[in-house]
Amino acid sequence: MGGEGKVYTLAEVSQHNNAKGCWLIIEGKVYDVTKFLEDHPGGDEVLLSATGKDASDDFEDVGHSSSARAMMDEFYVGDVDTSTIPTKTKYTPPKQPHYEQDKTSDFIIKLLQFLVPLLILGLAFGVRFYTKSPA
């Protein structure tokens, strides 16, 4: 654990995003998991896809065992400067004008939803019947 106590920026950690150098940020700590890529039960792609960002949610969503969590200590290289990680913004949908229900009754809409496809189907058969040349 030669990097103990070192503080990295997100940009520095993000440079290690391939099989030759794979670093992850989990709970504010930086881990060099390069040597673990081949042994990871979920495959190396799972780890590689979590590079360049805070992977804490990805790590927690999987539900790792206590032995997996204990194993992380051997891969620890330092901490991340949290001010370099963008804050998550909560999605707020745009305000939409109040919907005024159309004056058309639901019955007419449902009737049209039934009749229009029937009409199209009937026309398709009619065109096919009249364009069919006698053999």
Side-chain angles (χ1 to χ4, degrees), residues 17-134:
N17 60 1
N18 56 50
K20 293 182 180 181
C22 181
W23 289 17
L24 301 179
I25 300 170
I26 301 172
E27 300 297 332
K29 295 183 177 183
V30 180
Y31 299 93
D32 180 356
V33 295
T34 309
K35 294 178 183 175
F36 187 61
L37 287 174
E38 290 182 18
D39 298 327
H40 186 260
D44 61 348
E45 287 300 317
V46 174
L47 297 176
L48 291 169
S49 68
T51 60
K53 63 177 183 174
D54 183 352
S56 301
D57 289 341
D58 296 339
F59 182 80
E60 294 300 330
D61 288 347
V62 174
H64 287 90
S65 66
S66 55
S67 61
R69 292 174 187 278
M71 190 187 259
M72 292 171 62
D73 288 340
E74 68 183 90
F75 301 111
Y76 174 76
V77 292
D79 294 313
V80 69
D81 180 358
T82 54
S83 67
T84 63
I85 298 177
T87 57
K88 295 178 183 174
T89 55
K90 185 179 176 189
Y91 173 75
T92 51
K95 294 191 178 206
Q96 296 181 354
H98 180 68
Y99 176 70
E100 299 275 340
Q101 188 170 2
D102 196 359
K103 304 289 186 221
T104 310
S105 72
D106 288 338
F107 174 75
I108 292 174
I109 292 172
K110 288 182 181 182
L111 185 64
L112 287 173
Q113 286 175 337
F114 176 75
L115 291 177
V116 169
L118 263 167
L119 181 65
I120 292 171
L121 189 61
L123 284 171
F125 277 114
V127 167
R128 183 173 178 194
F129 179 76
Y130 285 112
T131 58
K132 198 176 193 183
S133 60

